[in-house]
Amino acid sequence: MTKKTTVISHNGAVYDIAMGGWLQHLHSKTSDAILEISTDDIQLPDGKAVGTYKAEKKAEYKSNPQTPRSSAKQYLNDCSRRDFGHDWDKFIGLIKEQINSACVHLLIAPHPLSTPEQQEVLKAASNGHIAAMYWIGTALRNKQSDDCLRWLSMAHNRGHFGACHEMAVHFAASRNYIDSLRCLIISADGGCDIAYMSIFQISTLKNMFNIQEISLVENMLRELEGASHASSANYFKGMLMLFSNQRAEGISVLKRFLKEPKKKPPEYDIDEVYGNQIRLVSTFIESVLLDITTGTALLNSISTRGTQAGFCSFADYDEFVKIINDKHISG
């Protein structure tokens, strides 16, 4: 199955962003997620990336039909023992242990990192450590540096559940509202709860209407709607129609969205949080639709009903993160 991606251009740089699939570790422990390493990104002692080395050995195996090895994996193991002294899986496992041992304690350190410690995190991120990529990305976003996008996009494309939301916040601060909305929807559709609860906040809707070319919004929503089942793009599609005096069409889209306002996870992952979000969002949209029939101004309805629901804005998120970080550093 071909992986779906969308392209973002920002201040002369281009980023490919994965979309449509679930993010990793949505329901696992943080202690598990923080150990995740993208194996193909690991740099081997010979300077090659794991992905490159594996591809070369696979090609070598296929190009030699007379090889005595019974499989490409056996050939890889033989090459690994020759080049690195261990079977492949054991060798990769040892490297991952070394990477995690060197950096995980730094990612949760209750103090600002020294320059050597920051270099250790950078080394881990360059070797595929996903939480280290995210750590660097958020640190750079706090400095309002566009360099954060390289690391956050890398972390997102490797499954980090918060990275694309961080990109959305950065783009909004940079007034790149089209890509802020794009990243927010991708993050929400991937299962990020904080992104989903920001979708319906009125400031997000205002950001959408700050985009001058409505055709750009329509094309982007169409792309994301096609990439993910029950996409939050449908909410913005309905709202765009309502504010464009397409009342009947907009109401119809929102009523369809109400039937499944969030992509349903596997049965074993459905929890109380999912149920509460469905009820909260359904009540919000039903109330707005009711207000429309009684003549309440649409913007007033969205604002009032959104305040009642307590949806999260980007400013709320940044304030919350600052409180948590300050508390963490101070002990």
Side-chain angles (χ1 to χ4, degrees), residues 1 43 93 100 107 113 119 169 194-195 212 220 224 269 275 329:
M1 181 176 177
Q43 301 297 308
N100 278 318
L107 301 179
L113 300 190
Q119 289 299 316
V169 178
I194 190 68
Q212 298 300 312
M220 183 264 292
L224 298 186
D269 279 336
I329 294 297

Side-chain angles (χ1 to χ4, degrees), residues 45-283:
D46 64 359
K48 292 179 182 176
V50 162
T52 301
Y53 184 89
K54 285 170 58 181
E56 288 178 354
K57 300 312 166 190
K58 185 176 182 179
E60 289 174 11
Y61 175 78
K62 288 185 174 181
S63 67
N64 184 7
Q66 305 303 321
T67 178
R69 284 82 179 179
S70 62
S71 67
K73 181 60 181 290
Q74 184 182 351
Y75 181 70
L76 178 62
N77 277 331
D78 290 345
C79 293
S80 181
R81 282 194 295 269
R82 179 197 67 204
D83 295 338
F84 310 117
H86 298 285
D87 283 347
W88 181 252
D89 289 342
K90 181 178 180 181
F91 178 57
I92 295 302
L94 289 172
I95 294 178
K96 288 185 176 182
E97 287 178 7
Q98 292 173 356
I99 294 172
N100 278 318
S101 177
C103 87
V104 168
H105 67 285
L106 298 176
L107 301 179
I108 57 176
H111 62 266
L113 300 190
S114 64
T115 298
E117 289 173 329
Q118 291 178 24
Q119 289 299 316
E120 200 64 58
V121 174
L122 176 60
K123 180 180 177 182
S126 300
N127 275 277
H129 198 285
I130 298 173
M133 296 175 189
Y134 178 76
W135 188 96
I136 295 171
T138 54
L140 290 170
R141 186 178 80 77
N142 289 338
K143 297 178 181 179
Q144 300 179 332
S145 170
D146 282 345
D147 290 340
C148 73
L149 298 171
R150 175 197 172 196
W151 294 102
L152 291 173
S153 62
M154 287 171 62
H156 167 75
N157 289 338
R158 288 153 181 80
H160 193 285
F161 59 84
C164 205
H165 176 256
E166 291 283 342
M167 293 180 70
V169 178
H170 180 77
F171 283 133
S174 304
R175 298 187 179 183
N176 179 350
Y177 297 119
I178 185 71
D179 288 321
S180 176
L181 187 60
R182 186 193 311 272
C183 286
L184 185 64
I185 294 172
I186 290 171
S187 184
D189 289 351
C192 178
D193 288 337
I194 190 68
Y196 184 70
M197 297 310 289
S198 301
I199 288 286
F200 308 98
Q201 221 279 341
I202 192 168
S203 60
T204 305
L205 198 61
K206 289 178 179 177
N207 285 347
M208 182 178 75
F209 285 107
N210 277 324
I211 302 167
Q212 298 300 312
E213 296 183 48
I214 295 300
S215 62
L216 292 179
V217 182
E218 292 172 335
N219 291 337
M220 183 264 292
L221 294 179
R222 193 177 302 114
E223 178 188 27
L224 298 186
E225 179 187 3
S228 182
H229 174 68
S231 174
S232 298
N234 290 296
Y235 167 74
F236 293 104
K237 179 180 177 181
M239 285 297 172
L240 192 61
M241 289 178 171
L242 287 178
F243 280 99
S244 301
N245 295 319
Q246 301 176 60
R247 175 171 168 169
E249 295 89 339
I251 290 175
S252 177
V253 169
L254 290 177
K255 285 184 175 179
R256 286 199 305 271
F257 180 61
L258 265 176
K259 294 178 180 178
E260 194 172 2
K262 187 178 185 182
K263 185 165 61 175
K264 189 176 181 180
E267 290 294 333
Y268 55 81
D269 279 336
I270 294 178
D271 56 12
E272 185 178 356
V273 172
Y274 172 80
N276 288 339
Q277 288 179 348
I278 294 297
R279 285 189 291 272
L280 188 68
V281 170
S282 296
T283 298

